[in-house]
Amino acid sequence: MEKLISEINDRLLQIIDRFQDSTVKEAMRYSLMAGGKRIRPVMMLQIIRSYNIDYHDYIDAACAIEMIHTYSLIHDDLPGMDNDDLRRGKPTCHKQFDEATAILAGDGLLNEAVNVILEADFNNELKISLLQTLYQASGVNGMILGQALDMKYENQKADQQELDLIHRHKTGDLISAAMKMGALIANKNDAAIWQEIGYKIGLAFQIQDDVLDVIGNSEILGKNVGSDIENHKSTYVSLMGIEKSQEIIEQYFNEVDELINKLKINHEVILEIIKKIKRRVK
């Protein structure tokens, strides 16, 4: 898996280097290369590998996913939204540069992700399917809706159903899209199953974040902890406590394992990254 991450990082640098020199380009590079586990693009490539297909022709699609993810982090961190000053263990983009540059860097990553897929060397039908999946997930009925709902419930209490809706869109949509994109490349008949797997992982992932905000270490996580409590934000932990939240996380991962084991794939390839995600709260 480290080899995949290295290949993704190398290709991201090549993509960024094509752009005209500017402060915005530097901010895009800074945020993309600030660290991160590359979970979403690695998921996509691991799914392709699990069907015994060579993933190398599809690294650009994986990079597009990471570009969208990084754009969302830059914008989420802005003073007008989450107002965070630490991301992946480094100053957030607007702290390292300035707010206007951060907005433009996010816009640049969002827009150029389209071109990365359009210019890739695979057929047009697949390009359209991948772009439709990625941009529906990141659009106003997807990730943007999740962030809007998250901001809405900053000042009012959310119940479990409302939290699940936030998590489904803010986190689940892009993870699910990454997995569906892998399936569209490898075996589109399995796309709906991978999409469901992605949503379950997304919900578990976000509940993990709720737990880590209470028990995590900011130096290890690379971002500030304790902000949910400080801001009186509704979370799984505030609603149910840490122990119950961890039980729900385990339940989602058990359901994920059951779905994966029903597929005719090399299970170990995909379970490798699932185990890595599980260990976030171990």
Side-chain angles (χ1 to χ4, degrees), residues 5 28 32 38 44 50 60 62 69 80 110 122 139 145 154-155 160 175 180 187 201 205 217 238 242 247 260 264 281:
I5 294 171
M28 291 165 69
L32 269 177
R38 310 302 192 204
M44 192 204 95
S50 75
D60 278 8
H69 176 54
L110 171 64
F122 36 82
L145 175 60
E154 282 181 354
N155 300 312
Q160 183 179 355
I175 290 176
K180 182 179 178 181
N187 185 344
I201 292 174
F205 193 94
N217 182 313
S238 68
I242 291 174
E247 287 177 9
I260 288 173
K264 294 180 179 179
V281 291

Side-chain angles (χ1 to χ4, degrees), residues 99-275:
E99 192 172 341
T101 300
I103 292 170
L104 292 172
D107 291 346
L109 290 167
L110 171 64
N111 283 277
E112 290 301 331
V114 177
N115 291 326
V116 168
I117 291 178
L118 287 177
E119 294 167 7
D121 189 20
F122 36 82
N123 70 70
N124 289 335
E125 182 181 350
L126 179 58
K127 288 179 184 180
I128 291 169
S129 296
L130 295 177
L131 284 170
Q132 184 180 39
T133 299
L134 182 57
Y135 278 83
Q136 282 180 345
S138 60
V140 293
N141 287 329
M143 196 165 57
I144 292 172
L145 175 60
Q147 178 65 6
L149 291 170
D150 193 41
M151 294 171 65
K152 172 184 175 180
Y153 286 104
E154 282 181 354
N155 300 312
Q156 62 187 85
K157 192 173 180 63
D159 59 26
Q160 183 179 355
Q161 186 175 3
E162 289 161 340
L163 279 178
D164 284 347
L165 185 63
I166 295 169
H167 296 346
R168 177 179 177 87
H169 292 299
K170 185 173 180 179
T171 305
D173 277 332
L174 193 58
I175 290 176
S176 185
M179 303 192 92
K180 182 179 178 181
M181 288 167 71
L184 288 172
I185 291 165
N187 185 344
K188 62 183 179 181
N189 293 328
D190 290 343
I193 298 174
W194 284 113
Q195 196 169 20
E196 184 181 355
I197 291 168
Y199 278 120
K200 290 181 184 296
I201 292 174
L203 288 168
F205 193 94
Q206 192 59 51
I207 300 168
Q208 283 180 324
D209 274 0
D210 291 352
V211 172
L212 289 168
D213 192 72
V214 177
I215 67 172
N217 182 313
S218 61
E219 291 185 7
I220 295 173
L221 293 173
K223 59 183 179 180
N224 294 325
V225 299
S227 59
D228 290 344
I229 296 172
E230 184 179 332
N231 297 324
H232 308 288
K233 188 174 180 179
S234 296
T235 68
Y236 260 77
V237 174
S238 68
L239 288 178
M240 304 176 188
I242 291 174
E243 186 175 341
K244 182 62 176 176
S245 296
Q246 290 177 321
E247 287 177 9
I248 294 170
I249 292 168
E250 191 66 28
Q251 177 186 336
Y252 277 126
F253 279 122
N254 287 339
E255 292 172 6
V256 165
D257 288 345
E258 288 176 9
L259 288 170
I260 288 173
N261 285 324
K262 290 178 181 177
L263 293 166
K264 294 180 179 179
I265 58 171
N266 182 340
H267 299 103
E268 285 305 311
V269 171
I270 195 66
L271 290 175
E272 180 183 4
I273 190 168
I274 303 298
K275 291 173 184 175

Side-chain angles (χ1 to χ4, degrees), residues 26-58:
E26 291 307 309
M28 291 165 69
R29 180 191 284 114
Y30 172 82
S31 294
L32 269 177
M33 307 313 297
K37 300 177 181 66
R38 310 302 192 204
I39 287 172
R40 293 154 188 82
V42 168
M43 278 181 173
M44 192 204 95
L45 296 179
Q46 289 287 73
I47 288 169
I48 295 170
R49 289 185 63 222
S50 75
Y51 287 91
N52 298 313
I53 294 173
D54 187 352
Y55 64 89
H56 288 93
D57 290 340
Y58 305 103

